[in-house]
Amino acid sequence: MFLAAGDKGDINTIIGGIAPKWGPFGSLGTEARVLVEVVMAAAILLCLAIAIWGAAKQRIGATALRDTFSAEQGKGLIVAGLTGVFIIGSLGTLFTIVYGMAI
Protein backbone atom coordinates (compact mmCIF):
# COMPACT_ATOMS: atom_id res chain seq x y z
CA MET A 1 0.00 0.00 0.00
CA PHE A 2 1.42 3.36 -1.06
CA LEU A 3 0.38 6.55 0.71
CA ALA A 4 1.29 9.87 -0.88
CA ALA A 5 0.42 12.38 1.80
CA GLY A 6 2.19 15.41 0.42
CA ASP A 7 1.66 15.33 -3.31
CA LYS A 8 -1.42 17.60 -3.47
CA GLY A 9 -0.13 20.80 -1.87
CA ASP A 10 2.99 22.86 -1.91
CA ILE A 11 4.78 25.14 0.52
CA ASN A 12 2.61 28.13 -0.44
CA THR A 13 -0.41 26.48 1.18
CA ILE A 14 1.48 26.53 4.47
CA ILE A 15 3.34 29.85 4.42
CA GLY A 16 0.99 31.84 2.18
CA GLY A 17 -1.21 32.85 5.09
CA ILE A 18 -0.29 36.52 5.31
CA ALA A 19 -0.45 37.16 1.59
CA PRO A 20 -3.86 38.56 0.66
CA LYS A 21 -6.03 36.68 -1.80
CA TRP A 22 -5.97 39.76 -4.07
CA GLY A 23 -9.73 39.97 -4.66
CA PRO A 24 -9.97 43.75 -5.18
CA PHE A 25 -6.29 44.04 -6.06
CA GLY A 26 -6.21 41.41 -8.76
CA SER A 27 -5.10 43.91 -11.39
CA LEU A 28 -1.92 44.84 -9.52
CA GLY A 29 1.34 43.88 -11.13
CA THR A 30 3.67 41.24 -9.71
CA GLU A 31 6.06 43.85 -8.32
CA ALA A 32 3.25 45.63 -6.47
CA ARG A 33 2.00 42.35 -5.00
CA VAL A 34 5.45 41.45 -3.76
CA LEU A 35 5.82 44.92 -2.28
CA VAL A 36 2.52 44.62 -0.40
CA GLU A 37 3.52 41.18 0.90
CA VAL A 38 6.90 42.48 2.07
CA VAL A 39 5.30 45.44 3.85
CA MET A 40 2.79 43.14 5.56
CA ALA A 41 5.54 40.73 6.63
CA ALA A 42 7.67 43.58 7.99
CA ALA A 43 4.71 44.97 9.91
CA ILE A 44 4.01 41.55 11.42
CA LEU A 45 7.65 41.20 12.46
CA LEU A 46 7.54 44.67 14.02
CA CYS A 47 4.38 43.80 15.97
CA LEU A 48 5.94 40.54 17.17
CA ALA A 49 9.03 42.47 18.28
CA ILE A 50 6.81 44.87 20.24
CA ALA A 51 5.07 41.91 21.91
CA ILE A 52 8.42 40.31 22.80
CA TRP A 53 9.71 43.62 24.15
CA GLY A 54 6.54 43.92 26.25
CA ALA A 55 6.99 40.40 27.60
CA ALA A 56 10.58 41.18 28.59
CA LYS A 57 9.53 44.47 30.15
CA GLN A 58 6.77 42.77 32.11
CA ARG A 59 9.08 40.01 33.32
CA ILE A 60 11.86 42.38 34.39
CA GLY A 61 9.44 44.82 35.97
CA ALA A 62 7.50 42.20 37.87
CA THR A 63 10.39 40.14 39.26
CA ALA A 64 13.76 41.86 39.22
CA LEU A 65 12.90 45.51 39.80
CA ARG A 66 9.53 45.13 41.56
CA ASP A 67 8.29 47.94 39.35
CA THR A 68 4.52 47.56 38.86
CA PHE A 69 4.34 50.41 36.34
CA SER A 70 6.85 48.69 34.07
CA ALA A 71 4.96 45.41 34.40
CA GLU A 72 1.66 47.06 33.45
CA GLN A 73 3.32 48.82 30.54
CA GLY A 74 4.69 45.46 29.41
CA LYS A 75 1.20 43.97 29.45
CA GLY A 76 -0.01 46.81 27.25
CA LEU A 77 2.81 46.25 24.78
CA ILE A 78 2.04 42.53 24.61
CA VAL A 79 -1.62 43.19 23.87
CA ALA A 80 -0.81 45.90 21.31
CA GLY A 81 1.74 43.71 19.52
CA LEU A 82 -0.49 40.65 19.30
CA THR A 83 -3.49 42.74 18.25
CA GLY A 84 -1.39 44.24 15.46
CA VAL A 85 -0.37 40.77 14.28
CA PHE A 86 -4.02 39.67 14.22
CA ILE A 87 -5.21 42.76 12.36
CA ILE A 88 -2.44 42.67 9.76
CA GLY A 89 -2.82 38.92 9.31
CA SER A 90 -6.53 39.28 8.60
CA LEU A 91 -6.35 42.31 6.28
CA GLY A 92 -6.39 40.18 3.14
CA THR A 93 -9.51 38.38 4.31
CA LEU A 94 -11.21 41.63 5.33
CA PHE A 95 -10.45 43.29 1.98
CA THR A 96 -11.77 40.26 0.10
CA ILE A 97 -14.98 40.14 2.17
CA VAL A 98 -15.65 43.86 1.80
CA TYR A 99 -14.91 43.70 -1.93
CA GLY A 100 -17.19 40.66 -2.31
CA MET A 101 -20.02 42.43 -0.50
CA ALA A 102 -19.68 45.48 -2.73
CA ILE A 103 -20.13 43.47 -5.92
Side-chain angles (χ1 to χ4, degrees), residues 5-100:
D7 61 353
K8 289 188 177 181
D10 59 354
I11 192 68
N12 287 329
T13 59
I14 297 171
I15 63 170
I18 64 168
K21 301 297 181 241
W22 304 111
F25 304 108
S27 62
L28 287 176
T30 305
E31 293 86 7
R33 289 183 185 185
V34 170
L35 181 64
V36 170
E37 290 173 1
V38 167
V39 168
M40 288 177 75
I44 285 178
L45 289 176
L46 179 68
C47 288
L48 285 175
I50 289 172
I52 291 170
W53 180 35
K57 195 167 193 172
Q58 182 188 20
R59 179 73 177 158
I60 292 170
T63 58
L65 302 175
R66 304 279 189 235
D67 183 12
T68 57
F69 178 72
S70 182
E72 289 299 320
Q73 194 177 22
K75 287 180 190 176
L77 287 172
I78 292 171
V79 170
L82 294 179
T83 302
V85 168
F86 174 75
I87 290 172
I88 294 168
S90 62
L91 277 178
T93 304
L94 291 175
F95 285 152
T96 304
I97 290 171
V98 170
Y99 178 73

